[in-house]
């Protein structure tokens, strides 16, 4: 056990304890204690525990990234101000103004790297635990100690003999000793680790940054890291145990899902993600409004009248018909009394008719 293991020993004990606890959970639900599935899922469980503990730092990383995006125009102005000035006084003044700008926005470029930096000791601790499994299983890990925390000799032997697709979890691509299964599984996991690293960084930089933050020297550095980091992991991954490759690929998938949710719910102002979020809201609003119109459409079609033919209301006196001329009624002649003498014959009016002269 060298000085590096002595430095990482407390973290190695924590990593071994989490793995053993998850191994008990999976074997408790029926998985084979010596099978590769139980130990592989134990590594996945380790990722879940670590990433849940790092959630506060993840939101701090998002806040720091937002702050860097907001100060990008001011940073660009400072760089333009001191462009071409290489004297010590100008460099010192530029550094002083840059630090004042970071304090003003409460951020710094290193805050966005906190989750990766804090995962590095866990990464190396898991690396050392998996590499130490053969020594623990043979009882030669340390002269006075043959275990790492709860990782006893029996459990170490079980984990050492466990395999996934025929490749042991402690096997590496460079030390495969002709085992084709180790080389194939390692190569697939190295490709998956590099691809998920690239996609995670691209999702954060390209989709959740405004156009102003994608210009300038800092943006160029991020673009370089976008392509350099996956290559670093690809070349160094040939020396990682398969269990470490599983850990790093799983944590990349977790990061991608976490970032996707955060970017979708809280996009950065002016970014492509914000534009997509506004378009989604507009489509939802149009869909809801269209549904309401469709429900009320039949009623409106029945009651709607064409424009320009509106019937003017009529007053009551105008609505009455005009009265016709009064008809003439014949005069009614009263009947003569019963004792009156009837008129002479030949006279219908009761007047006397003059007699002719002799």
């Amino acid at each position: 056990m060298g000085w590096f293991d002595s430095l990482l020993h407390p973290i190695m004990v924590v990593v071994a304890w989490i793995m053993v606890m998850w191994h008990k959970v999976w074997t408790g639900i029926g998985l084979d204690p010596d099978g590769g599935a139980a130990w592989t899922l134990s590594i996945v469980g380790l990722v879940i525990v670590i990433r849940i503990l790092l959630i506060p730092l993840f939101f701090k990383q998002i806040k720091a990234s937002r702050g860097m995006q907001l100060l990008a125009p001011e940073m660009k102005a400072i760089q333009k101000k001191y462009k071409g000035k290489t004297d010590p006084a100008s460099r010192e003044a530029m550094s002083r103004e840059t630090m004042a700008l970071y304090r003003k926005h409460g951020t710094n470029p290193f805050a966005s790297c906190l989750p990766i930096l804090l995962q590095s000791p866990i990464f190396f601790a898991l690396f050392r635990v998996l590499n130490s499994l053969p020594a623990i299983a043979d009882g030669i890990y340390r002269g006075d100690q043959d275990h790492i925390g709860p990782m006893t000799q029996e459990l170490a032997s079980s984990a050492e003999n466990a395999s996934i697709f025929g490749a042991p979890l402690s096997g590496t691509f460079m030390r495969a000793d002709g085992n084709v299964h180790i080389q194939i599984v390692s190569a697939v996991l190295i490709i998956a680790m590099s691809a998920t690293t690239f996609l995670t960084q691209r999702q954060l930089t390209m989709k959740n940054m405004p156009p102003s933050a994608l210009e300038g020297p800092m943006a160029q550095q991020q673009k370089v890291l976008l392509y350099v980091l996956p290559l670093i992991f690809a070349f160094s991954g040939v020396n990682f145990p398969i269990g470490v490759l599983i850990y790093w690929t799983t944590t990349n998938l977790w990061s991608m899902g976490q970032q996707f949710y955060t970017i979708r719910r809280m996009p950065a102002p002016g970014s492509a993600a914000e534009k997509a979020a506004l378009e989604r809201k507009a489509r939802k609003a149009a869909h809801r409004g269209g549904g309401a119109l469709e429900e009320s459409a039949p009623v409106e079609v029945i009651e709607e009248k064409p424009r320009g033919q509106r019937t003017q209301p009529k007053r009551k006196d105008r609505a009455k018909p005009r009265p016709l001329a009064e008809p003439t009624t014949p005069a009614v002649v009263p009947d003569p009394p019963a004792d009156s003498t009837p008129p002479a014959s030949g006279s219908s009016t009761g007047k006397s008719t003059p007699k002719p002269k002799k």
Side-chain angles (χ1 to χ4, degrees):
M1 182 177 179
W3 66 270
F4 191 64
D5 283 357
S6 300
L7 184 64
L8 289 178
H9 185 71
I11 304 176
M12 292 169 63
V13 172
V14 174
V15 168
W17 183 83
I18 295 174
M19 287 182 60
V20 170
M21 292 300 104
W22 276 107
H23 183 260
K24 290 182 179 179
V25 171
W26 300 124
T27 56
I29 63 176
L31 293 182
D32 183 10
D34 298 327
W39 286 107
T40 300
L41 292 176
S42 298
I43 297 175
V44 174
L46 172 67
V47 173
I48 294 173
V49 172
I50 299 301
R51 293 312 302 258
I52 289 176
L53 294 176
L54 292 177
I55 284 177
L57 291 176
F58 173 77
F59 284 107
K60 197 170 183 178
Q61 176 192 19
I62 294 295
K63 184 179 178 181
S65 299
R66 296 281 176 85
M68 293 298 295
Q69 293 166 12
L70 292 175
L71 62 82
E74 300 179 53
M75 179 66 71
K76 191 175 181 180
I78 293 175
Q79 293 170 351
K80 184 178 180 181
K81 178 181 176 181
Y82 293 98
K83 184 178 181 181
K85 298 181 180 180
T86 58
D87 57 288
S90 298
R91 291 182 179 180
E92 183 181 355
M94 182 177 177
S95 300
R96 186 170 58 252
E97 292 184 19
T98 302
M99 296 306 297
L101 186 62
Y102 288 153
R103 287 193 297 268
K104 175 184 174 182
H105 290 272
T107 185
N108 61 78
F110 300 102
S112 59
C113 302
L114 279 177
I116 296 179
L117 293 176
L118 290 179
Q119 281 190 91
S120 298
I122 301 169
F123 177 81
F124 287 112
L126 178 62
F127 179 89
R128 291 305 303 157
V129 167
L130 293 177
N131 273 353
S132 301
L133 289 178
I136 298 173
D138 294 337
I140 56 174
Y141 174 63
R142 289 183 64 182
D144 57 345
Q145 190 177 6
D146 59 352
H147 62 88
I148 301 177
M151 184 66 71
T152 60
Q153 185 175 356
E154 181 182 358
L155 289 174
S157 177
S158 174
E160 170 66 16
N161 294 325
S163 61
I164 175 173
F165 300 110
L169 297 179
S170 59
T172 64
F173 186 89
M174 295 300 294
R175 292 181 295 179
D177 295 331
N179 191 330
V180 180
H181 297 284
I182 295 177
Q183 293 177 340
I184 293 176
V185 173
S186 297
V188 171
L189 288 174
I190 289 170
I191 294 172
M193 179 182 64
S194 302
T196 51
T197 301
F198 173 79
L199 293 175
T200 302
Q201 295 299 319
R202 187 178 185 276
Q203 178 180 243
L204 183 62
T205 56
M206 297 301 177
K207 292 186 178 181
N208 202 39
M209 284 191 178
S212 59
L214 299 177
E215 300 175 357
M218 188 176 297
Q220 295 301 323
Q221 292 176 5
Q222 290 178 345
K223 288 181 180 179
V224 170
L225 290 176
L226 177 65
Y227 295 96
V228 170
L229 281 178
L231 293 176
I232 293 175
F233 283 115
F235 286 111
S236 60
V238 294
N239 295 311
F240 294 162
I242 290 176
V244 173
L245 296 175
I246 293 172
Y247 172 87
W248 201 251
T249 304
T250 307
T251 195
N252 284 344
L253 292 174
W254 178 286
S255 298
M256 288 178 61
Q258 198 173 34
Q259 284 183 3
F260 177 81
Y261 176 80
T262 305
I263 292 173
R264 187 179 179 87
R265 301 284 295 183
M266 298 179 293
S271 63
E274 185 188 39
K275 183 179 179 181
L278 294 176
E279 291 177 355
R280 287 194 302 269
K281 289 181 180 179
R283 286 196 298 267
K284 289 181 180 178
H287 179 71
R288 291 174 183 174
L293 290 175
E294 289 176 2
E295 292 178 358
S296 59
V299 179
E300 291 182 359
V301 170
I302 293 173
E303 294 183 357
E304 187 179 0
K305 295 181 180 180
R307 296 181 179 180
Q309 299 181 5
R310 182 173 178 266
T311 305
Q312 298 293 334
K314 296 182 179 181
R315 294 175 60 183
K316 292 183 179 180
D317 54 347
R318 292 184 181 180
K320 292 182 179 180
R322 295 182 177 181
L324 300 175
E326 295 182 0
T328 55
T329 57
V332 179
V333 179
D335 294 333
D339 53 351
S340 62
T341 303
S345 59
S347 175
S348 60
T349 60
K351 297 182 180 180
S352 60
T353 305
K355 292 181 180 181
K357 295 181 179 182
K358 290 181 181 182

